[in-house]
Amino acid sequence: MKRIFVFILVGLIMFGIGFGGGLMFGRAMAGGDSPAGENGRVPDPGPIVPVGEFTSNLAGSGRHVISFSVSLEAVNIRAAEVVSSPGWHVRIRNEILLVVKDKKFEDLTSAEGALQLAEEIRRSLNSQLPSVRGEVPVVRVLFDSFVVQ
């Protein structure tokens, strides 16, 4: 009888530790997705660099066109200087057009599709641009306008 009581007690303790740990882990994971910084405030935006307007045909069947205007949020002033320099500006425009050319009309008709496009552009640009003090230069790709026809 004493042995059963010990097994039940140990089981309950282990369950409590697992449940509590799961709750703490879940809160930590949920807190990591929020835009708020460590002090609970939303971080100020970095320097914004306008890239310009783009118009391109979309891939796939049908005659669909996308027209949009893009600005890039840089991680700091030094990254903004790199992004806005004439040599990099041309490469950035080229890279954006290459990413958009592979998209189909169906990929871009929802807000989720536009967000995925912005993330693909950000990843592509950060793989091309030099890092600034160990950080990727482009934090966000921001659409000033976005029309798909």
Side-chain angles (χ1 to χ4, degrees):
M1 182 73 181
K2 195 174 189 182
R3 207 178 252 181
I4 294 174
F5 179 72
V6 169
F7 282 125
I8 291 174
L9 184 61
V10 168
L12 287 174
I13 290 172
M14 296 300 285
F15 176 76
I17 290 172
F19 185 75
L23 283 176
M24 290 174 50
F25 180 74
R27 284 186 181 176
M29 293 301 291
D33 291 343
S34 71
E38 290 181 17
N39 59 3
R41 291 186 37 217
V42 176
D44 292 335
I48 305 295
V49 178
V51 177
E53 294 185 28
F54 297 85
T55 302
S56 177
N57 294 323
L58 294 172
S61 61
R63 300 178 71 170
H64 298 288
V65 176
I66 184 170
S67 178
F68 60 98
S69 179
V70 171
S71 293
L72 304 175
E73 180 182 340
V75 69
N76 55 35
I77 297 293
R78 176 68 184 124
E81 291 171 357
V82 169
V83 169
S84 61
S85 69
W88 283 111
H89 189 77
V90 172
R91 285 184 176 184
I92 288 169
R93 289 186 61 83
N94 180 61
E95 196 65 29
I96 291 171
L97 283 172
L98 291 175
V99 170
V100 172
K101 277 290 197 189
D102 290 336
K103 293 296 177 184
K104 296 181 180 176
F105 176 76
E106 296 79 22
D107 298 337
L108 302 172
T109 55
S110 67
E112 182 180 329
L115 290 173
Q116 287 176 348
L117 174 63
E119 181 60 23
E120 286 181 38
I121 292 171
R122 186 188 70 80
R123 271 189 270 124
S124 179
L125 292 178
N126 284 332
S127 70
Q128 299 289 320
L129 293 166
S131 64
V132 177
R133 296 181 188 143
E135 295 182 289
V136 294
V138 177
V139 176
R140 279 184 195 84
V141 174
L142 307 166
F143 293 113
D144 302 322
S145 65
F146 193 87
V147 177
V148 181
Q149 294 180 333

